Amino acid sequence: MLENLISDHLPKKNYEFQKTLSNNCRVDCIIKSSGALDNLCIDAKFPRESFEKILNSTSKDEKNKVLKLFRTDIMNHVMDVKNKYIIPGQTSEIALIFIPSEQIYLEIFNMIPEMTEKFYELKVFLVSPTTLWIVLSYVESILRDKKISENSKFIFHQLKELTNEIARLETRIAKMDSHFSNAQNDLNDILVTTKKIKNKKEKLIKLDIKT
């Protein structure tokens, strides 16, 4: 499910599965974008076994016992993710733990709501398919804005060159008026300049800003 969600949203160059980091730890997925979310690590090794023990408990005492165990497992896993996948200067300052079920995701916060503050403190967050979709949509918008920004520079450069060609055209027209005897040569110059303007216009028309 994690692979499908990510591949459906992002270009292949902007993510990598089973990436080995500089500390020799292998993360399930890393998202490459820009800014605070660049090299965002996503872990998919949720301790589901201890969670299922809670659901299968048959008494209150048993449930409290396995709930305590689950809380410990979650905390240990969050710390493990923080230590492995948050590398200053190399990865994002936050990391995500993917929970493949909306129901399990909601149940976790219902069972251990006090853990929310710990997640913020450690900068490791649980995400469900829906919340991951929101994150990926945000990353997608970052990549789109970056692409538009890059193309804006290209458009500005083309318009600048186009302005220069127009100025050159005006100069040549003025020259033709004042030196009519050389009209044929000036007309050839005008045709050359006009062709350059047409080519630059076509480049702008064909510009693709899709991600």
Side-chain angles (χ1 to χ4, degrees):
M1 180 181 286
L2 176 62
E3 292 188 6
N4 290 338
L5 276 169
I6 292 173
S7 61
D8 285 348
H9 275 81
L10 304 177
K12 288 184 178 180
K13 66 179 180 179
N14 292 109
Y15 63 84
E16 186 175 346
F17 294 108
Q18 300 303 317
K19 166 72 173 178
T20 300
L21 304 177
S22 63
N23 57 6
N24 292 322
C25 293
R26 181 176 294 181
V27 65
D28 293 308
C29 181
I30 188 167
I31 303 296
K32 305 170 186 177
S33 57
S34 61
L37 293 183
D38 190 24
N39 292 325
L40 172 65
C41 293
I42 304 177
D43 173 83
K45 297 178 288 291
F46 165 68
R48 185 161 186 161
E49 183 178 346
S50 57
F51 174 79
E52 290 177 346
K53 287 181 180 179
I54 299 174
L55 300 181
N56 296 328
S57 58
T58 57
S59 68
K60 185 176 181 180
D61 288 342
E62 183 185 3
K63 185 173 182 177
N64 289 336
K65 182 179 179 180
V66 293
L67 181 58
K68 184 178 180 180
L69 177 63
F70 177 67
R71 186 183 290 109
T72 300
D73 286 346
I74 281 286
M75 194 63 239
N76 288 340
H77 189 63
V78 167
M79 287 299 301
D80 193 45
V81 167
K82 175 180 174 59
N83 293 332
K84 287 182 176 180
Y85 306 142
I86 298 181
I87 307 174
Q90 296 183 37
T91 67
S92 172
E93 294 181 353
I94 68 171
L96 305 179
I97 298 175
F98 179 65
I99 311 297
S101 165
E102 297 291 342
Q103 181 180 358
I104 293 176
Y105 177 78
L106 294 175
E107 284 292 338
I108 290 172
F109 285 97
N110 285 333
M111 292 176 181
I112 48 175
E114 70 278 4
M115 292 294 292
T116 301
E117 290 185 8
K118 273 294 182 182
F119 296 151
Y120 278 95
E121 178 185 332
L122 298 173
K123 297 183 178 180
V124 177
F125 302 94
L126 307 187
V127 290
S128 68
T130 298
T131 49
L132 179 60
W133 177 85
I134 294 171
V135 172
L136 293 176
S137 296
Y138 178 67
V139 171
E140 195 176 15
S141 70
I142 291 175
L143 296 175
R144 186 184 300 111
D145 290 345
K146 183 179 179 182
K147 184 69 173 179
I148 291 174
S149 177
E150 291 171 352
N151 283 327
S152 293
K153 295 177 182 178
F154 174 77
I155 292 173
F156 176 78
H157 177 72
Q158 290 296 313
L159 288 175
K160 184 177 179 181
E161 288 193 359
L162 186 60
T163 300
N164 292 337
E165 294 296 345
I166 292 173
R168 191 174 293 115
L169 177 62
E170 291 174 346
T171 300
R172 287 173 177 173
I173 290 174
K175 182 181 177 182
M176 186 179 68
D177 287 340
S178 60
H179 303 282
F180 191 78
S181 60
N182 295 322
Q184 184 59 50
N185 291 334
D186 291 328
L187 182 58
N188 289 337
D189 288 342
I190 290 172
L191 291 175
V192 170
T193 303
T194 302
K195 185 176 181 180
K196 289 182 180 179
I197 292 174
K198 180 181 178 183
N199 290 338
K200 294 183 186 302
K201 181 193 70 174
E202 290 176 351
K203 285 184 181 179
L204 292 174
I205 291 174
K206 293 179 180 179
L207 180 62
D208 182 8
I209 62 172
K210 293 181 179 179
T211 56

